[in-house]
Amino acid sequence: MSFTLEGVGFTHANGHRALAGVDLRVAAGERVALIGASGAGKTTLLRVLAASLRPGSGRVELLGSAPWDAAPRDLRRLRARIGVVHQAPPIPPRQRVVTAVLAGRLGQWPLWKSLASLVLPVDPEGARRELARLDLAERLYDRCDCLSGGQLQRVALARVLYQQPDLLLADEPVSAMDPALSELTVALLNDEARRRGVTLVASLHAVDLALRHFPRVVGVKDGAILFDLPAGQVSEALLRELYAAEGGLPLAGSPLPSPSPEAGPAAGTLPPLRCA
Amino acid sequence: MSATLRDPAALPRLGWTLTALMLLWPLLQLADFRPAALFEPGNLAAMGHFLAGFLPLETSPDFLALLGRATVDTLAMATAGIALAVLLAVPLGVVLTRSLSVSAIGPGRGGWVGQAVRGAARMLLAVLRGVPELVWALLFVRVFGLGPAAGVLALGITYGGMLGKVYGEILESTDARPARSLLEAGSGRLAALAYGLLPNAGQELLSYTVYRWECAVRASVVMGFVGAGGLGQLMDQSMKMLNGGEAATILATFLVLVLAADGASEALRRRMA
């Protein structure tokens, strides 16, 4: 079992109830999409799964251990095995791309190695390899403030790929990307999870992306799970109920003719942004 | 205008402004602040007479040699003092920074330990900078005798307290999300500092440190009066002998040093931009 949530609830300090009675069990290697209207609780749920938010009630077990009963050292080790792709890339603008990607392994490296890597990158080849999968290899030594929003999001993705986590979480990973790039990025995440046999949970605003790429789809509404079904069994009626408040289904737009999971983003789709 | 469009914050703002002014007025009275006294004819003449004593600048080779030697002493004292201050301030400032707290994530266990350590660090910094450097210097002169050693130690301690407090505050006001995401991926505090906070905060930390170095150069005047050596001691001697020309040359030297510090800070900031 990759993780188990039993009766998980969380209420914000201002009294807003973000999660209530959430039960979710996901086996190792499963790929799950979280869908639902904005404010439904998808991000809160992912933060609980990332061991970064302690739920007010219920039981959490991640990768075989209970994070909130663990000793600080064990909790740190557990967190190093969980990779999160954030909605907004949490990368300082002045940092170089190579440093931002190598930062993925700070949880695994001893301190001396982390600090030495600031002086001279210890594994530029590893960083370049992950960037190459996202078609950004030639930006290795550029500064992150020279990148476009979509490129920066791909750098953040490369960091998580470099981390090689056992549990891969993604919170709206394609929110700053155009439809074609979104398609390829979601395909890449799925490809990575399949290749390494790790668990992937991604929240997606676009329903069609979720249904096309993920075998299992979980609909979240008002802090609770509305349905948890194989992608093929998610009916039109269920989706209408899920998005009742938004008055329509959010879609990513027309997909590419046939996105192959192997291919990286096509070179032509990238904005030719360069720093002098 | 409709009542619903009225800014609900406007009235409290006006109230606070009036309160602040009402508090300020008696304070000015207590401080005996009468700027008009500056321009009374008798006072203007007295000031003019005092300032006229500073001209012309003293430029005899003997004095310049003495001045050069004292300048080097002062620079050495200020630099060594700031180096010591940074050594004190970095660990304390990092300890103060709440955005590097691992137990705050969740929140997890042991949060009270972090709070206690932060409280202790805050106290220690307050004691270090709460005692003026002149008092520290008077204390250390009794151990090391007259000379720069006492000055270095006194500067290091007081400025360590100031730097530590400001380092902590700069780090806290820096975007916490990069460091937070690293901590959530299992990174340690120091690695999160180096990869998450320093890229954004480094420039400001550096320019504040250079500014403190500039202050330390000036503070060495005060230290000179307790016999800690350098430009301050020279200034003390010149003033006691009522030699205005020498004092003016020393003041000009300070001005040059401050301008140099300003230039260095600007160049470093541009380099790091």
Side-chain angles (χ1 to χ4, degrees):
Chain A
M1 199 54 65
S2 185
F3 63 81
T4 308
L5 303 183
E6 274 173 21
V8 165
F10 181 79
T11 306
H12 287 288
N14 63 12
H16 174 71
R17 205 171 61 166
L19 291 179
V22 171
D23 292 307
L24 189 61
R25 303 166 142 272
V26 170
E30 274 197 86
R31 290 174 289 121
V32 181
L34 297 178
I35 59 173
S38 24
K42 304 189 294 288
T43 296
T44 310
L45 184 54
L46 281 168
R47 289 187 61 205
V48 169
L49 293 178
S52 69
L53 187 70
R54 178 188 212 151
S57 58
R59 202 176 68 85
V60 182
E61 196 189 297
L62 304 170
L63 299 172
S65 65
W68 305 110
D69 297 329
R73 175 189 294 262
D74 296 328
L75 180 54
R76 237 191 91 180
R77 288 215 184 98
L78 172 66
R79 285 181 176 142
R81 295 172 61 199
I82 303 175
V84 184
V85 182
H86 292 268
Q87 205 163 357
I91 293 177
R94 286 201 187 86
Q95 200 158 55
R96 290 193 300 172
V97 169
V98 61
T99 315
V101 174
L102 293 181
R105 293 217 185 140
L106 291 184
Q108 296 149 44
W109 287 350
L111 181 63
W112 66 264
K113 193 170 174 186
S114 306
L115 296 182
S117 184
L118 283 177
V119 181
L120 190 68
V122 292
D123 185 16
E125 179 49 36
R128 201 198 57 78
R129 198 165 42 236
E130 303 303 343
L131 287 166
R133 299 171 64 187
L134 295 151
D135 214 22
L136 274 179
E138 80 282 14
R139 308 305 296 265
L140 187 62
Y141 289 111
D142 284 344
R143 264 172 43 152
C144 289
D145 51 7
C146 305
L147 304 179
S148 70
Q151 288 172 325
L152 193 62
Q153 208 153 14
R154 278 184 280 153
V155 171
L157 193 59
R159 168 192 284 189
V160 177
L161 294 179
Y162 184 69
Q163 184 186 347
Q164 303 211 309
D166 297 326
L167 174 56
L168 185 53
L169 305 173
D171 186 9
E172 304 273 3
V174 296
S175 56
M177 296 180 187
D178 60 57
L181 198 53
S182 301
E183 191 77 35
L184 290 162
T185 304
V186 171
L188 178 81
L189 279 171
N190 275 279
D191 182 41
E192 171 76 4
R194 241 191 326 254
R195 197 171 57 82
R196 292 188 44 242
V198 299
T199 313
L200 169 65
V201 182
S203 76
L204 290 168
H205 196 63
V207 178
D208 48 344
L209 272 180
L211 293 178
R212 243 193 328 271
H213 291 281
F214 291 81
R216 181 174 168 188
V217 176
V218 172
V220 184
K221 189 181 183 185
D222 297 334
I225 290 179
L226 183 69
F227 60 82
D228 179 357
L229 293 169
Q233 294 175 27
V234 178
S235 69
E236 189 86 19
L238 276 175
L239 291 176
R240 297 228 173 278
E241 191 186 344
L242 188 63
Y243 289 101
E246 292 202 348
L249 295 188
L251 301 174
S254 52
L256 294 181
S258 61
S260 108
E262 247 61 58
T269 63
L270 300 177
L273 238 153
R274 284 289 137 83
C275 273
Chain B
M1 206 210 288
S2 85
T4 49
L5 272 180
R6 211 173 52 203
D7 183 351
L11 215 58
R13 266 185 211 152
L14 183 67
W16 283 113
T17 311
L18 289 178
T19 312
L21 287 175
M22 270 159 54
L23 283 175
L24 193 61
W25 183 247
L27 292 180
L28 286 178
Q29 294 294 315
L30 277 176
D32 203 16
F33 179 64
R34 291 180 299 116
L38 276 176
F39 303 100
E40 285 162 20
N43 293 342
L44 279 179
M47 282 195 297
H49 190 74
F50 178 73
L51 290 177
F54 283 95
L55 294 172
L57 297 185
E58 173 68 49
T59 51
S60 72
D62 282 355
F63 178 71
L64 288 184
L66 210 58
L67 181 70
R69 170 76 214 173
T71 306
V72 172
D73 272 356
T74 288
L75 288 180
M77 194 157 73
T79 308
I82 285 293
L84 184 64
V86 169
L87 284 183
L88 267 173
V90 167
L92 288 170
V94 170
V95 163
L96 277 189
T97 310
R98 263 189 303 264
S99 44
L100 289 176
S101 165
V102 177
S103 56
I105 298 175
R109 293 197 306 182
W112 63 273
V113 178
Q115 263 170 19
V117 171
R118 274 194 292 278
R122 206 172 284 279
M123 270 310 289
L124 179 57
L125 285 169
V127 171
L128 293 183
R129 71 179 190 278
V131 179
E133 61 261 43
L134 184 61
V135 177
W136 287 118
L138 284 168
L139 178 71
F140 293 129
V141 160
R142 281 161 177 71
V143 180
F144 299 100
L146 296 181
V152 167
L153 213 53
L155 274 180
I157 287 180
T158 310
Y159 282 49
M162 300 180 192
L163 283 177
K165 172 190 158 67
V166 178
Y167 283 177
E169 285 172 2
I170 291 176
L171 291 175
E172 288 242 310
S173 59
T174 306
D175 181 9
R177 284 168 302 181
R180 168 97 185 195
S181 84
L182 292 172
L183 292 174
E184 286 178 3
S187 148
R189 291 171 65 92
L190 290 177
L193 169 75
Y195 282 74
L197 288 182
L198 286 187
N200 283 337
Q203 224 187 352
E204 206 175 333
L205 291 172
L206 189 73
S207 72
Y208 185 73
T209 309
V210 174
Y211 169 67
R212 269 294 145 202
W213 178 83
E214 183 192 311
C215 293
V217 168
R218 268 192 308 264
S220 62
V221 178
V222 182
M223 315 284 274
F225 285 76
V226 295
L231 284 171
Q233 203 161 350
L234 201 60
M235 180 87 142
D236 189 35
Q237 287 158 9
S238 302
M239 293 294 244
K240 277 186 181 140
M241 292 188 292
L242 298 176
N243 193 332
E246 287 187 5
T249 310
I250 297 171
L251 285 180
T253 311
F254 274 116
L255 186 62
V256 170
L257 290 179
V258 167
L259 285 174
D262 203 43
S265 173
E266 185 63 29
L268 282 172
R269 281 179 75 94
R270 202 166 310 136
R271 181 75 191 76
M272 286 183 70

